[in-house]
Structure formats: structure tokens, C-alpha cells
Amino acid sequence: MDRSTPRAAPEADRDARAGAPTEALALSQVGGVLRRSWHWIALPTLVAAAGAVAFVQIVPPRYTGEAKLLLESREAGFARTAQERAEQPQPIDEQAVASQAQVVMSRDLAREAIRRLKLVGNPEFDPTVEGLGPVQRALMLVGIAQNPLERPAEDRVLDAYFDRLLVFPAGKSRILSVEFRSKDPALAAQGANTIAELYIASLEAAKVDTARYASTWLGGNIEALRSRVAEAEAKVEAFRARNGLVAAGGTAGQPLSAQQLAELSSQLSHARTLKADLDGRVKLIKEMIKDGRAFEIPDVANNDLIRRVVESRITLRAQLALESRTLLPAHPRIKELTAQVADLDAQIKAAAERIGRTLENDTKIAGARVESLQATVDGQRDVVVKGNSSEVQLRALEREAKAQREQLESYLSRYREAAARDAESASPADARIVSRAVVPELPSFPKKLPIIGLVTLMAFLLSAGAVIARRLLANPGGAPRADAPAFEAAEAAPQPEPVRFSFPEATPPTSWPKLAEVASERAPVRTPAAPQPPQAESGSPFDLGILVGRLSERPRGEGGRTVLVLETAPAKRGTGRPSAKGLAETLADTLAEQRAVPVQVLAVDLDGPASDPDDPGLTDLVAGDAAFLDVIQPVPGSRLHRVARGFVDSEVLLEEPQALAITLEAMSEAYDWVICTQRLRHGSASRALLEAVAGRMDSVVIASNAAADDPDLVTLYGIAEDAGAGQVLVAQDSVAQPAADLSDEPMPLRLSAA
């Protein structure tokens, strides 16, 4: 809960009431005051109404012509490039619309409109047509005013022209409204249309002037830029020829030395690949000859001579196998066949060795070629490295020539665009007239019925206010007047003197039985003549001065004092009649009506009757269903504020002890006195509420006429003391006495405390 919420209303009310002792005029009395002074209201109202009627009949009417302009982009498509046509046009925002409104009201456009409308010499706009008045001549003689004839004719009309011209945007749209007022309706319509046409013509002229200036400037710079482009390109070609950076036709952009190096590198790679292939084949042939598989070598097998030898070998081996079945290895036939097969194998091996030697020679030739190409590449690389520095300078010259060329192309493109726009009708204005002004039939001023009604209403309100102010100033203190009604005099009559009661000094609880005995034996003791705290106002049922003094003796914290009044039974007067107000309500009224030291008092009902749902109270505040400003209700004509019980059941006060504590603390910070009322009922809920609230109070006052040793009274006193209350007081307005001792004199209200 926000503790600052309840403080705002009480402090404001406290400041407002500090200087005014009593309200001088109630709200219910305003109607009677106005009825009694009806002639003071009716006469000025009728006079003002008659004056308004005369004014609207005498004043010459003025007519207003209105033209509307729509601001939009109207660039011609043929005058825009392909890129510009693809882009979305920029929207016109509110600032642009406001800026265009100021353009319409420019002085240059105003002078042209004055010439078109022929306002010079018009008596409505030109003050010198009817001559100079005597007042103006006198001011001119003393040097205060300037002679209007010394100014140009158009400048003399400017002030009246701007007074009758109004240009404004229509809401948040892109429409400009141009209004022109005049006594002549035809001139009003013509003026609005002329100003709109001049504004559109000025926009078209501005666009044409911009395009013409652009084409003129671009045309003067294109020739100089062309010469610079030609000079830059000539420097590039001369530098390339001087440093041998001539590019061949095959590869664009590369110099000849770099192309040669690339070709030599390619040949060197091919030679290395061929040498590696030959080395592999020679190695493979040697391994196959060593393994006796020479006839499996492709080059050997593909030789016709070797093929025939291989066929003969196969035939001889077949015969050898056939003869070996019948002949022994030492037989001459077997030896002959074996010798023939060996001879054929030697021929095949010799052929394979010849092929191997041929491949070895090819390998040597390929190695020599690789070495030659490597030397050539190394030499060409040195040539390329030396030409790199020249290549860097060449690229710089090429960039400069390219930049000059691109700038020239851009200038040529923009020149063609500007030339396309350099025509009277090629660039339409970014605005068009959507509604032309027509000759008005009804005057825009004066509006007869609204003026008469407004003047009459203002005169009525001012007259009524003057009557009420006169009544308040004539009777500021609220004293009864001779001509006041009877009920006002009755309200201002003095109230009867209240019944005074005395409060003896407090005594501890152990002395209560003795007090009861002494009270039954002797007459009531009056209050000694000592300085008393502030007494209650006239009309209070109790004299609570001593009780207020005892409550004020208790030291207060940062906020106000909190008091819980526990009413055990309806309050009794000395005569035994129930009082109209209980002790808690009387105490709150007494504190609120003190005039010596104005204080702010809040009366809180803890367990009274349930409130209406539309009038929330304490339980609704603790439950979180209402705010402080909703539950605090001021009492008219008093500093007292009240808080009802609420619509929610009182059980919420026991279920939400933390919220209840915060609420009471916030109230104590906002008010000087917080008077809480609890009515004792049978049951544990009432005592549980006492235990929950008493510990938060500076003082607990038990209003009871029971005997001092009454068990219920002792129990209540113990509960309040055990809960942690600052002080516990028992207030009695009568004591037990024999019937013979009763008299007409009121009994003293007794106050006991620990």
C-alpha cells in the first residue's frame, strides 16, 4: 500500500481550513440567494443580450473563400532515370506540409497576389484611400507613427492582406486549406483561387529554375572533363609502351612478359610429367626382366618378331613336354629341345633389354628438356618481377583514367535528365488544386445565433457569480443577517451548554475495589481547579478535556496518535438516558473541533454494520478491493474524516494482519489523531480483533460502567495490556451507588488506568 496516498487529501483540506473558521454560504443556500437577487441577474443578462443583437446587426458581414491544395509528388516519368522510377517516392510528412503553409504566406507571393487582385486602392485593404485621420496625423507629427504614404503601395496593403489570409493543414493529411476573407464574397473566392494558382506556379518555376541551373552548370563542366579523360587515358598507354607492359591480344589486361612466363610454366610442367612417366616405365621393365617376365612387357609383346619367337617357344615347350614322357632328361632329343627353348628365352630377354635402354634414353632427353625449361622460366620470372613496380604505377594511372571516365558518364546522364526537365511544362508542381473556392453565400462573421447565445450565457454566469461574491463579502463569518431565512438564524443561534463531567486522576487496577467502596460512601469528587486541556466545543454530550489530556501525554512516534475506544455498552448520561453519540464518536468530534491548535482527525469503524457496496470501507481497503481515497469520507464543515467498516466481512482483518498493520500505520502518518471504534460482542472473534489491533495503538480506552472487579472488564483490560498497547484507560460516566444517594446532579465520568 502507498502510505503517501491518504496524506494528500487530509493535508490539502487542513491547509484550506486553517485560515477559514467557518463556511459563510452553504451549497444548499446558493439557490435561495440567486432567487432573491434575480433582478440583479436578469437585468445585466438582458442588457448583454440586447447589445449582442445590436452588434451582429450593425457589424458588416465578412465572407470567406476556401481553396484546398493536395501536396503530392508529380514528377514526370520520362524525365526520370530507370533507377529513380524503381525507387518509391519519399512521403510528405507533417513538417513538410507545415513548411509549405509558410511558403504560401511568403511576402513575394503576397505581392504578386496583391497585384493580381488589385488590392491597392481597395478601401478594405488600403488604409490611405479614405485619407489619414486626425489621430494618425497627430502621431505622425510627434514622430510616433510613420507616414504610410512613404511606403510602397503594395507594402501598405500587406498587413491587411495577411490579416485576412489563413493557411493551415487539414488535420494530419497532406491537404492545405487556403482561406481568404473579405466583405465582397466574389473577392473572397477570387483571392483564395488566385493565391492557390500563384503557389502552384511558384513551385513549377522553382523546379524549372533548378533544372535550368543544373543543365547550365553540367554543360560548362562536361567539356573540361572530357579533355581530362583523354589526357589520363593517353598517359596510361604511353606508360605501358615505355615500360614494355604491352598486353597480347589473347589475354586481356596481362602484359606480354607475364603471358610468356605462364606459357613456359605450362611447358615445364608437361616436360616434368613426361620425364616422370618414362622413369616409371624403365623401372617397371627392369623389374619384369629380373623376374623373367620380359615377354609380358607391352612393348615386347607388341613386336612382331618377338611374337613369332614366343610362338616358337610355345611349340618347343609342347614338344619337350611330349618327349619327356618317354625319354629321360639326358636323352639327346630332350637336350636339343631344352637348348632351343633357352635360346628363344635369351632372344626375348635381349629384345626387352633393348626396349629398356630406349626408354632410358628418352628419360635422359626429357630430363634435359626439363632443365632447359626451368632455366628459361627462372630468367622470365626475373623479368616479370622487375616489371611489377611499373605495373603498380600503371594500375594507378588506369584507376585515375577510369574515375575520370565514370564522372564524365555521370555528368552526361545528368545533363540529359536536366535538359529533359528544362521546359515550362516538363516538370509539374508537387501540388494540385483539389477544391477551388466558390462565391460564398453565407457570411463567416458574425455568426448571429452563437454570438448572442454565448454573450447571454456569459452575462448570466458573471451576474450570478457577482451576486454570490457580494453575499460572501457581505457576511464573511457566517453571522445571521436580518434578511436571512429562519433556518439560517436557527443554525447560527448559540447551542445549549454541555453537561460537564470531571475526570479524577488515574489509579492502578489494584485500587479499583477501593475506589468502588469509597465511591459508594462519599459524594462525587469534582475536578480540581487546575490547568485543563482544551475542552470540547459547545453541544458535545461529554466534557472530555481530561481524557484528551491523558491521551496527549502519551509520547507519539513519527506519525499521529492512535486510539482504540472499546465500547462495551451504549453510553449513559447522568440521568440514565442513552446518549445520541458514543464515547468514540464524541472524542473524534471534540478533537476535530479544537480551534486553538487545528488538527486532522480520522474516525475508523472496525466492526460496525456492513457498508453499501458502492461505499467501501476499512475491510475493503485491507482486502485490496479499494484505495485510500475511496474509503476516506470527509465530514462537511469539520476537519473530521471517517472510514466505515466496509462491505467485506470483518474476518479479513484477522486473516490479513500485515495488511491491517500497514493500513493503520499509513493512517497515523497522514492524520494527527486516528480514533478506532470497536463494539464488544459475545464471542471469540471480538476479543481476537482486540488482540490484533490493541498492539498497534498508543492508547486503548475501555468505555464501561461495570464494577472494578467485573471479570469481563478485567479480562478486556488484560487482553489490551498483553497485546502491547501503550496505555490502557477505563472510562466510566457513573458508578454503583445506593438509590438513596442519587440526586439530580450529574455523576462524574471516572477515568482509571494502569
Side-chain angles (χ1 to χ4, degrees):
M1 296 185 184
D2 189 1
R3 299 185 177 181
S4 63
T5 304
R7 181 178 292 273
E11 289 184 355
D13 187 65
R14 182 186 308 174
D15 296 340
R17 298 178 183 274
T22 309
E23 291 182 342
L25 186 63
L27 182 61
S28 59
Q29 302 173 5
V30 173
V33 173
L34 295 179
R35 285 193 299 272
R36 290 192 301 271
S37 304
W38 65 269
H39 53 281
W40 292 104
I41 300 175
L43 183 60
T45 303
L46 293 176
V47 172
V53 172
F55 172 78
V56 298
Q57 293 296 333
I58 295 174
V59 68
R62 291 184 181 179
Y63 298 87
T64 300
E66 182 182 13
K68 293 185 178 181
L69 300 169
L70 176 61
L71 303 180
E72 60 181 358
S73 178
R74 302 181 65 199
E75 186 70 32
F78 65 87
R80 302 175 63 188
T81 62
Q83 181 180 0
E84 291 176 348
R85 287 194 295 269
E87 295 178 354
Q88 294 293 335
Q90 294 294 331
I92 300 176
D93 53 7
E94 296 181 7
Q95 289 79 6
V97 175
S99 301
Q100 294 303 316
Q102 297 299 321
V103 172
V104 178
M105 300 180 66
S106 63
R107 288 184 174 271
D108 294 338
L109 194 145
R111 291 187 177 92
E112 183 63 26
I114 290 171
R115 287 192 291 268
R116 292 276 187 94
L117 297 174
K118 300 179 181 179
L119 299 182
V120 177
N122 190 331
E124 183 182 357
F125 294 88
D126 194 349
T128 62
V129 174
E130 298 178 353
L132 301 178
V135 177
Q136 189 173 9
R137 292 179 181 275
L139 294 177
M140 291 169 52
L141 290 176
V142 298
I144 297 178
Q146 185 181 4
N147 187 0
L149 297 177
E150 297 178 356
R151 301 172 58 189
E154 296 175 355
D155 292 347
R156 294 197 305 267
V157 184
L158 280 177
D159 295 337
Y161 169 84
F162 285 120
D163 289 340
R164 289 162 175 77
L165 175 64
L166 180 61
V167 181
F168 59 93
K172 294 185 178 180
S173 63
R174 292 182 285 111
I175 293 181
L176 278 180
S177 296
V178 181
E179 293 184 356
F180 191 76
R181 299 188 303 274
S182 175
K183 297 178 182 179
D184 185 3
L187 180 59
Q190 182 185 0
N193 292 329
T194 302
I195 294 171
E197 293 171 356
L198 289 175
Y199 167 69
I200 292 178
S202 67
L203 293 182
E204 293 177 352
K207 297 185 73 173
V208 170
D209 291 343
T210 302
R212 184 170 300 151
Y213 172 78
S215 61
T216 302
W217 185 85
L218 290 172
N221 287 273
I222 284 176
E223 295 300 328
L225 188 58
R226 280 176 176 170
S227 62
R228 291 201 300 270
V229 169
E231 183 180 354
E233 291 178 349
K235 288 182 179 179
V236 170
E237 296 301 328
F239 185 84
R240 181 182 286 116
R242 185 170 58 253
N243 293 275
L245 300 176
V246 179
T251 306
Q254 289 188 358
L256 184 60
S257 58
Q259 297 179 23
Q260 292 176 354
L261 178 61
E263 293 176 359
L264 290 175
S265 298
S266 177
Q267 293 178 9
L268 177 61
S269 298
H270 180 70
R272 287 176 176 174
T273 302
L274 180 61
K275 182 178 181 300
D277 182 43
L278 292 175
D279 289 338
R281 292 176 63 185
V282 170
K283 182 178 180 181
L284 179 61
I285 290 173
K286 288 182 179 180
E287 291 178 354
M288 294 179 70
I289 293 173
K290 184 177 180 181
D291 295 338
R293 296 184 294 115
F295 57 88
E296 296 180 0
I297 299 173
D299 293 336
V300 176
N302 294 332
N303 193 344
D304 294 338
L305 178 61
I306 299 301
R307 189 181 298 113
R308 290 192 295 269
V309 172
V310 171
E311 292 175 355
S312 300
R313 181 176 179 278
I314 294 173
T315 303
L316 290 176
R317 289 187 67 84
Q319 293 178 3
L320 179 61
L322 181 63
E323 297 294 337
S324 295
R325 290 185 301 174
T326 58
L327 300 176
L328 295 174
H331 191 275
R333 181 60 180 169
I334 296 299
K335 291 181 178 179
E336 179 183 1
L337 292 173
T338 302
Q340 290 178 1
V341 170
D343 183 54
L344 292 176
D345 290 338
Q347 292 180 10
I348 293 172
K349 182 178 180 181
E353 290 177 351
R354 284 195 301 271
I355 292 173
R357 286 193 296 272
T358 302
L359 291 176
E360 288 179 354
N361 294 333
D362 292 341
T363 302
K364 292 179 181 179
I365 293 172
R369 179 173 174 78
V370 167
E371 293 177 357
S372 176
L373 289 174
Q374 183 65 44
T376 304
V377 168
D378 293 340
Q380 188 64 26
R381 185 183 298 112
D382 295 338
V383 174
V384 172
V385 170
K386 291 179 180 179
N388 282 340
S389 58
S390 300
E391 183 70 19
V392 172
Q393 298 180 15
L394 177 63
R395 285 196 295 269
L397 293 175
E398 288 177 345
R399 285 195 299 269
E400 179 66 21
K402 182 180 179 181
Q404 296 285 349
R405 190 182 306 107
E406 290 178 352
Q407 186 177 6
L408 176 60
E409 293 175 355
S410 175
Y411 276 22
L412 289 173
S413 175
R414 294 180 180 276
Y415 177 77
R416 288 191 294 270
E417 297 169 11
R421 292 188 178 98
D422 189 5
E424 294 298 332
S425 58
S427 299
D430 291 339
R432 59 187 177 92
I433 300 177
V434 295
S435 177
R436 300 186 67 86
V438 296
V439 178
E441 298 179 357
L442 298 177
S444 59
F445 180 84
K447 300 291 186 181
K448 296 183 179 181
L449 291 180
I451 290 177
I452 295 173
L454 180 61
V455 171
T456 304
L457 178 61
M458 293 299 298
F460 173 78
L461 295 177
L462 292 176
S463 301
V467 168
I468 295 175
R470 177 176 174 273
R471 174 68 171 81
L472 293 174
L473 293 175
N475 188 21
R481 295 167 49 89
D483 58 348
F487 69 89
E488 295 184 16
E491 290 180 355
Q495 300 294 333
E497 193 70 20
V499 180
R500 300 293 179 178
F501 293 93
S502 60
F503 291 82
E505 289 296 327
T507 57
T510 55
S511 303
W512 290 358
K514 298 179 181 180
L515 289 174
E517 296 175 0
V518 173
S520 62
E521 295 176 358
R522 64 180 181 177
V525 180
R526 298 288 182 178
T527 304
Q532 298 295 333
Q535 301 297 325
E537 293 292 326
S538 62
S540 299
F542 301 109
D543 183 9
L544 303 178
I546 296 179
L547 177 59
V548 174
R550 290 298 307 275
L551 296 177
S552 301
E553 292 176 0
R554 186 69 186 174
R556 59 190 294 180
E558 296 181 356
R561 294 182 173 87
T562 55
V563 179
L564 173 63
V565 178
L566 182 63
E567 296 185 352
T568 59
K572 299 289 185 178
R573 297 291 298 270
T575 59
R577 294 177 301 168
S579 174
K581 294 183 179 180
L583 178 60
E585 189 174 0
T586 306
L587 177 60
D589 293 339
T590 301
L591 293 172
E593 293 175 358
Q594 292 183 9
R595 295 187 178 183
V597 181
V599 295
Q600 201 71 28
V601 183
L602 178 65
V604 183
D605 195 349
L606 297 180
D607 57 353
S611 304
D612 189 85
D614 297 333
D615 189 14
L618 177 65
T619 56
D620 303 294
L621 179 62
V622 173
D625 298 338
F628 277 100
L629 295 179
D630 299 330
V631 302
I632 297 177
Q633 303 297 332
V635 177
S638 174
R639 302 186 187 92
L640 177 63
H641 291 179
R642 295 188 182 277
V643 176
R645 193 204 87 175
F647 179 70
V648 182
D649 191 77
S650 298
E651 295 295 333
V652 72
L653 302 179
L654 302 177
E655 296 173 356
E656 301 289 343
Q658 187 67 22
L660 178 60
I662 295 175
T663 302
L664 294 175
E665 184 179 355
M667 291 178 177
S668 65
E669 291 182 358
Y671 290 88
D672 300 314
W673 290 88
V674 179
I675 309 300
C676 300
T677 306
Q678 181 183 357
R679 298 165 184 83
L680 183 63
R681 296 178 176 85
H682 295 288
S684 59
S686 181
R687 296 186 178 184
L689 182 59
L690 175 61
E691 293 177 356
V693 178
R696 311 289 179 183
M697 298 293 151
D698 297 332
S699 303
V700 175
V701 179
I702 304 175
S704 174
N705 289 329
D709 56 352
D710 183 76
D712 293 337
L713 180 59
V714 174
T715 301
L716 293 176
Y717 188 93
I719 292 174
E721 190 176 37
D722 295 340
Q727 65 176 345
V728 183
L729 305 176
V730 179
Q732 297 178 341
D733 59 357
S734 65
V735 296
Q737 290 183 345
D741 295 339
L742 294 176
S743 62
D744 294 337
E745 185 177 2
M747 298 301 297
L749 181 62
R750 304 179 59 83
L751 180 65
S752 300

